[in-house]
Amino acid sequence: MLEIPCPWCGPRDESEFAYGGEAHLNRPDPETASDREWAAYLYYRDNKAGVHAERWHHTHGCRRWFNAVRDTVTYRFHSVYTMDDEQPAEIDQ
Ligand SMILES: [Zn+2]
């Protein structure tokens, strides 16, 4: 079973968490965004193989959201950080 390191609780079993999707998405301004920009924000994700940033929720623990850098090929977690922290440099975007 996969072990996920919560920034507040430490390593816990995967069954305590809920996946929250890709991290660091920039919401377009609703007053000026085109239909194409809204569609991209709502429906399109990178889905790349390799290291990327994603959101997780410790649903059955501290109930806090956090970001993680994880390799989607190996499932290995490289780092976890709070929503207030800067995106780590190890992600190439
Ligand atoms: Zn936690």
Side-chain angles (χ1 to χ4, degrees):
M1 180 90 38
L2 185 64
E3 193 171 74
I4 299 175
C6 174
W8 294 277
C9 306
R12 295 288 193 272
D13 191 273
E14 173 187 10
S15 62
E16 295 185 11
F17 295 86
Y19 179 71
E22 186 177 335
H24 308 292
L25 296 176
N26 293 318
R27 186 175 190 263
D29 182 349
E31 300 296 324
T32 60
S34 68
D35 289 345
R36 180 179 294 274
E37 289 170 325
W38 270 114
Y41 171 72
L42 292 174
Y43 302 113
Y44 295 111
R45 299 295 181 260
D46 284 344
N47 193 30
K48 68 179 183 182
V51 177
H52 84 133
E54 55 196 17
R55 298 179 303 170
W56 285 87
H57 183 240
H58 197 178
T59 310
H60 299 292
C62 63
R63 302 185 55 83
R64 291 179 175 174
W65 284 93
F66 61 93
N67 291 327
V69 176
R70 184 178 64 93
D71 191 317
T72 58
V73 176
T74 64
Y75 289 94
R76 180 175 166 263
F77 280 80
H78 289 249
S79 61
V80 293
Y81 51 102
T82 68
M83 295 294 197
D84 296 330
D85 293 337
E86 291 290 322
Q87 181 175 346
E90 60 191 308
I91 305 167
D92 54 341
Q93 289 188 1

